[in-house]
Amino acid sequence: MKRGIALLLAALLLAAAAVPALAEDYTLAEKFYQQAVKESAFRGTLTLSASGAGTRAVDAALWTAIKNIAPRMSLSLEHATTPYKDEGQATLTLTLDGATNGKLTYMYDEQQMAFGGTVLGGDNVYYSAARDWNLAELLSGLLSDGSGWPPVWQMALAVENAPAEWKARAESRIAVYKTKLNLWLNGYAQSSTGRDGDTMYFQLACAIPAQALKAEIKQLMVDFYNDAELLTLLKEVVSAQEAAAYLQPSMMNALFSMLDAMQMTGDLEVVQRYDYSAAPLLLQLSVPLGAGALSRLTISCAYVQDGENWRITGSLNSGAEFDASCLIANGTIYTGTVKLTLPEEDESFVVSEQAAMNTVAFDYNLIWEPGEDVYTLSTDRFSREIKGSLLIRPVEGDIPEQSLTLELTMSSGSAKRSATQLNGSLTWRDLESGASLSANLASKTAAPFAYTAPSSLTETLRVDQLSAEALNALVQSWVQRTRSYFASLALGGSLFPSISTVRP
């Protein structure tokens, strides 16, 4: 009997040892990214479907057009690269009634990128630029100040999402700046005590003039650009474009000039609140703003028993206001309220100093289930189920109660070179009328296939060498071509029902 138990235990240990250690080496998401973006290729197709007589979320004509085009249209995305080479090509293709109707292509190598497509001049017309050129100049037209600098938030996001091993190495260097900042804030702090319900608290409040804020930022920048260790660490996780813009000591004077030119009104206000055991209760930041779109922005986080309660409020110079809250519980459940107050478009000839305002407010509940990698011995495959659901309940304004549901399945064989599949659906539903719109994805990584590198193109227009005026004119021509493209489809009955089918 004992011998039989020993043999059984030995068999179980051997089976456990035979289970591939995918989760220990890399996750399914990491494997998918490496295959699709860094080492091999990817192919995916997105199809649409719509049902229901109508919804108050959009007007009747637009809903009719959506129902007409959804089952006839599909989008496919392909990307191919070569292992250990920073080059590749991505192609997005629109298919309508089974025939190719439009295409966009992006190519890249270590030195250049090139792009072109149906609405940008034709399938064989390409535009090129240096690889590290800021595409934001095209995506948003031209920046109002002519700046080509990448957004700072992208670099902050890269640091936030950096691997744990990198954060452990960088922690001691970043802590130096946190300490310096806290010491500086303490010089402006006014302490007080108070009570919030049954909780006694200790509060530090700072009101810092805009010029003092600029001076401290400059001092931190001087320290930062002399910190070779931190600069080297940051270059490991940010893009080459971001590193060139922000991590070169030679850029400090340019950043100083930009900071001097930045208009700020009012004080930077910081409130920190703790209970008498030094546990944080509240952190609130009010940012001074100038002549930009925003005139006021306040961000706060209240630490409550159920989690963290975030709130963002602000106003725009146009008169619009926003107020959004989010209670984060267990990192998977998010609840709150969003309120938007927007100026109404007045098409009458009545002149009024007080613009009419339109308010939309709703409560929301978001549940996010990221799942985990699970191994099935009988199929020798790893899989992960990812789910998310968003429920919106109107409080004010003419919007219906609605939901958004995401379901994704990721799977792959245990072998490192096994293809990884990513399939799923995203469904929007009007819970009042029953109308729905769904997008269904079928995709997987694939063996590398042939692609074109920018260096092989014989004729391209270098957009990064155009003047601001010429670049602006080019962007406007693309906008007009895009409008004409969709207008021609509409008139031809490709996107919308023909006029003869519309009855009064």
Side-chain angles (χ1 to χ4, degrees):
M1 182 68 175
K2 290 182 179 179
R3 184 181 180 185
I5 294 175
L7 289 173
L8 177 59
L9 290 174
L12 290 174
L13 287 172
L14 287 172
V19 174
L22 175 64
E24 296 178 7
D25 298 332
Y26 45 82
T27 65
L28 270 172
E30 290 168 343
K31 182 178 182 180
F32 178 82
Y33 176 79
Q34 282 296 118
Q35 292 179 336
V37 179
K38 294 293 187 180
E39 299 176 355
S40 190
F42 166 84
R43 284 191 170 100
T45 301
L46 189 73
T47 56
L48 303 175
S49 61
S51 64
T55 170
R56 289 194 292 121
V58 298
D59 62 56
L62 178 57
W63 183 250
T64 299
I66 291 172
K67 286 189 63 177
N68 175 58
I69 191 176
R72 301 162 52 201
M73 184 179 73
S74 66
L75 288 170
S76 64
L77 174 64
E78 292 185 340
H79 174 260
T81 186
T82 301
Y84 312 112
K85 280 190 176 182
D86 186 15
E87 65 177 32
Q89 175 181 321
T91 302
L92 179 67
T93 304
L94 169 66
T95 300
L96 196 64
D97 295 328
T100 298
N101 196 270
K103 184 180 292 186
L104 290 173
T105 301
Y106 173 76
M107 312 166 189
Y108 63 92
D109 57 28
E110 293 183 353
Q111 302 298 325
Q112 294 186 60
M113 60 179 173
F115 52 92
T118 306
V119 297
L120 301 182
D123 292 340
N124 296 314
V125 178
Y126 292 99
Y127 307 89
S128 63
R131 177 70 182 275
D132 60 355
W133 189 59
N134 186 14
L135 276 174
E137 295 194 33
L138 296 178
L139 300 178
S140 60
L142 290 176
L143 301 179
S144 59
D145 60 357
S147 170
W149 292 56
V152 177
W153 64 265
Q154 291 182 357
M155 192 162 67
L157 190 61
V159 172
E160 177 65 24
N161 294 327
E165 177 272 336
W166 182 90
K167 290 182 178 179
R169 288 190 289 122
E171 183 178 4
S172 61
R173 296 309 310 157
I174 295 176
V176 171
Y177 296 89
K178 289 182 179 179
T179 301
K180 290 180 179 181
L181 190 58
N182 284 331
L183 290 173
W184 174 70
L185 287 173
N186 288 339
Y188 291 89
Q190 299 291 325
S191 62
S192 62
T193 59
R195 178 188 294 272
D196 184 4
D198 296 331
T199 304
M200 296 288 294
Y201 64 79
F202 174 75
Q203 178 172 293
L204 292 174
C206 307
I208 305 168
Q211 292 307 313
L213 174 61
K214 289 184 177 182
E216 177 61 16
I217 293 175
K218 287 183 178 181
Q219 182 57 58
L220 289 173
M221 287 170 61
V222 170
D223 297 339
F224 173 74
Y225 282 115
N226 283 287
D227 192 337
E229 182 180 352
L230 181 56
L231 290 174
T232 301
L233 283 167
L234 289 171
K235 289 176 182 178
E236 295 179 14
V237 295
V238 305
S239 69
Q241 180 185 4
E242 291 158 354
Y246 297 112
L247 302 183
Q248 303 298 328
S250 59
M251 303 306 297
M252 184 173 67
N253 290 334
L255 290 170
F256 276 10
S257 298
M258 293 171 61
L259 185 62
D260 289 335
M262 186 181 298
Q263 298 185 34
M264 294 184 178
T265 58
D267 297 338
L268 170 70
E269 297 179 0
V270 182
V271 175
Q272 301 176 79
R273 189 175 293 176
Y274 305 87
D275 65 17
Y276 277 84
S277 67
L281 297 174
L282 175 69
L283 174 62
Q284 181 171 297
L285 178 69
S286 295
V287 184
L289 298 164
L294 281 169
S295 61
R296 177 177 59 85
L297 179 65
T298 299
I299 304 173
S300 66
C301 178
Y303 299 89
V304 295
Q305 184 177 2
D306 295 331
E308 299 177 356
N309 195 2
W310 288 85
R311 187 178 181 187
I312 301 177
T313 62
S315 60
L316 282 67
N317 287 317
S318 64
E321 296 183 349
F322 57 90
D323 185 345
S325 65
C326 181
L327 174 62
I328 305 175
N330 302 322
T332 59
I333 301 176
Y334 306 80
T335 58
T337 299
V338 174
K339 184 176 182 179
L340 304 173
T341 303
L342 306 172
E344 291 185 353
E345 295 184 4
D346 187 4
E347 298 180 355
S348 67
F349 294 97
V350 178
V351 178
S352 173
E353 296 182 358
Q354 185 72 28
M357 306 299 287
N358 179 39
T359 299
V360 175
F362 56 87
D363 296 329
Y364 69 88
N365 182 74
L366 170 65
I367 300 175
W368 179 250
E369 302 176 54
E372 61 183 17
D373 293 352
V374 176
Y375 179 72
T376 302
L377 184 60
S378 61
T379 59
D380 190 29
R381 292 186 68 82
F382 284 87
S383 63
R384 167 176 278 194
E385 302 287 338
I386 303 170
K387 297 181 180 180
S389 61
L390 173 65
L391 176 63
I392 294 175
R393 293 189 176 93
V395 175
E396 187 174 358
D398 187 23
I399 61 173
E401 184 173 355
Q402 52 198 284
S403 68
L404 193 65
T405 304
L406 174 69
E407 294 183 350
L408 291 175
T409 300
M410 189 176 294
S411 64
S412 180
S414 63
K416 187 176 181 179
R417 299 178 64 86
S418 295
T420 306
Q421 294 181 332
L422 177 63
N423 301 318
S425 65
L426 179 65
T427 301
W428 172 85
R429 191 178 304 278
D430 183 331
L431 299 179
E432 296 178 2
S433 69
S436 68
L437 177 64
S438 295
N440 298 284
L441 173 68
S443 70
K444 66 178 181 178
T445 59
F449 50 84
Y451 58 84
T452 303
S455 58
S456 65
L457 298 175
T458 56
E459 294 184 8
T460 64
L461 174 63
R462 285 293 298 257
V463 294
D464 56 343
Q465 296 176 0
L466 296 176
S467 66
E469 293 77 10
L471 181 59
N472 187 42
L474 179 62
V475 172
Q476 295 304 316
S477 72
W478 290 342
V479 172
Q480 292 301 322
R481 286 183 62 90
T482 302
R483 291 173 177 171
S484 299
Y485 170 72
F486 286 106
S488 65
L489 289 175
L491 291 174
S494 296
L495 285 177
F496 304 101
S498 63
I499 297 176
S500 63
T501 63
V502 178
R503 299 180 182 274

